[in-house]
Every structure is written in C-alpha cells, then in structure tokens.
Amino acid sequence: GIQVEQSPPDLILQEGANSTLRCNFSDSVNNLQWFHQNPWGQLINLFYIPSGTKQNGRLSATTVATERYSLLYISSSQTTDSGVYFCAVESNYQLIWGAGTKLIIKP
Amino acid sequence: NAGVTQTPKFQVLKTGQSMTLQCAQDMNHEYMSWYRQDPGMGLRLIHYSVGAGITDQGEVPNGYNVSRSTTEDFPLRLLSAAPSQTSVYFCASSRGTSGFEQYFGPGTRLTVT
C-alpha cells in the first residue's frame, strides 16, 4: 500500500522562527491534506492540497504531485503553533496518515 | 452548521462491555468514516461508508461494527471491549468518496480497563 513519511519527526524552535515540514508519499494520490493536532487533541484542517500552492496567513503549503511530496511552511512561529502536524493522503477511499511532526515553539 | 459531532467525549468501559460511539454530520456528506489514534501515531481507518446502507472495512475493523441507516449518522459499536481498544476515536465526513476534503469531529477518548 501507499507509504507516507514525514520529516522531521520533532522540531523545537524559538518564537518568531520559520520552519518547513515535509511529507513524502510513495504513489500518486487524489487528495492530500495537512492537519494540525493541538495539545488538546483536536484535529484542525489546514490545507486540502492535492497539487499546487496555497496560503493561509502565516501558513502555506506546496504539493508537487509528480515528485510525490508536499511541504508545509510556517512563518513567524507563535507558541499557539505548537502541536503535531500530520500529512494524510487518500488511497482506496481512506486517508493514509504519516506519523506526524511534533512542533514545539518556545517563547 | 455544527459540522461533525461525536458523543460521548470520554468513556471508561470494563473488559467485555459493549457500547456505541455516536457520530453525526449536518453537511449532507455522502462519505463518513471512523478512525482510531493510538499514542504517538497517525490515524488508522476502522470502517467507512460511501452512502446510506453501504459500509466497508478499513485497516483495523476487528472488534467493531457499523451501520449507516441515514446520511447524517454513522455509529460505531464495540461488541466486547478489550484493553487493546483503548484509544481516541475520530469520526470524519466528506462530500464525496474520492478527492474531497475530509472534516473531523472532536474525538472520543475511550479507556478499557
């Protein structure tokens, strides 16, 4: 089945720093989503981005479907950005999830 | 719209007990699914439904049953709870079966002792 790998597994940054999170997938996909799971466990949709580039405030994402990867950019990090960021891709009616990147933003 | 709602938020069961986790959506979405999330991991699919009356198994279906009698509701039943089913359960829905954004409920934290 399709494999989803995220890197880095952990990231610790000072407030105000920028970061890039990567998601690699092993096959072509119809759907790719980025989620933020906050410290209370809530899953928040960030981007639905099977291809191309999208921006939402300090966050942006780019998916290069032909090369099977997606990047999530976080600029000017805030402590509220802390949590786990997941990439999930669609295969056979289900979302296949990466293991996540745990992001800690220190004040 | 309330989006995707789940009840209860927390539940503790004893081994062997049965219970139903409720999931409802008010977006008229055709596709609904149940995932479980174990500590330090991404989500894994338990069961999904592509429309009322149609369900299918996901990656980890053993020990769980589902049914879909209406578009809005997709309950998950644990037949005989086991400690291995201690997890956080998420319900999701989307407008279609493929290539559509999925929306997630707030989750149910289940502990089986």
Side-chain angles (χ1 to χ4, degrees), chain A residues 30-31 33 35 37 41 43 45 47-48 86 90 92-95 97-99, chain B residues 31 35 37 40-43 45 48 59 90 97-104:
Chain A
N30 294 327
N31 177 5
Q33 290 183 240
F35 296 89
Q37 188 165 41
L43 279 168
N45 288 34
F47 294 101
Y48 167 72
F86 288 103
E90 181 190 311
N92 294 329
Y93 303 137
Q94 61 182 294
L95 284 181
W97 295 67
Chain B
Y31 180 90
Y35 291 84
Q37 185 180 28
M41 297 177 66
L43 280 64
L45 183 68
Y48 66 94
E59 180 185 355
F90 289 96
T97 56
S98 180
F100 293 93
E101 185 173 6
Q102 292 205 25
Y103 297 88
F104 282 79

Side-chain angles (χ1 to χ4, degrees), chain B:
Chain B
N1 286 352
V4 181
T5 58
Q6 293 183 234
T7 56
K9 285 188 167 50
F10 302 94
Q11 183 69 49
V12 179
L13 291 178
K14 293 186 191 284
T15 298
Q17 287 185 316
S18 62
M19 79 157 295
T20 299
L21 308 185
Q22 300 292 343
C23 174
Q25 52 89 12
D26 61 358
M27 298 174 281
N28 201 31
H29 284 173
E30 288 298 315
Y31 180 90
M32 295 184 74
S33 56
W34 277 101
Y35 291 84
R36 62 177 286 173
Q37 185 180 28
D38 299 312
M41 297 177 66
L43 280 64
R44 291 183 294 166
L45 183 68
I46 304 171
H47 285 285
Y48 66 94
S49 169
V50 300
I54 306 169
T55 64
D56 207 345
Q57 297 180 351
E59 180 185 355
V60 288
N62 292 342
Y64 307 95
N65 271 1
V66 293
S67 60
R68 183 102 178 265
S69 56
T70 67
T71 298
E72 294 77 22
D73 300 299
F74 190 44
L76 178 72
R77 281 182 288 277
L78 280 69
L79 308 173
S80 177
S84 61
Q85 294 179 304
T86 294
S87 190
V88 181
Y89 291 83
F90 289 96
C91 178
S93 74
S94 67
R95 192 155 53 94
T97 56
S98 180
F100 293 93
E101 185 173 6
Q102 292 205 25
Y103 297 88
F104 282 79
T108 294
R109 186 174 296 273
L110 175 68
T111 301
V112 183
T113 61

Side-chain angles (χ1 to χ4, degrees), chain A residues 38-66:
Chain A
N38 65 23
W40 297 270
Q42 185 182 7
L43 279 168
I44 300 162
N45 288 34
L46 296 177
F47 294 101
Y48 167 72
I49 187 165
S51 63
T53 297
K54 290 186 178 180
Q55 179 151 9
N56 184 4
R58 296 182 295 104
L59 274 62
S60 64
T62 294
T63 297
V64 183
T66 53

Side-chain angles (χ1 to χ4, degrees), chain A residues 15-16 19 21-22 26 38 76 79 87 99 102 105:
Chain A
E15 200 168 23
S19 58
L21 282 58
R22 187 177 180 100
S26 60
N38 65 23
S76 304
T79 55
C87 161
K102 184 174 182 179
I105 304 297

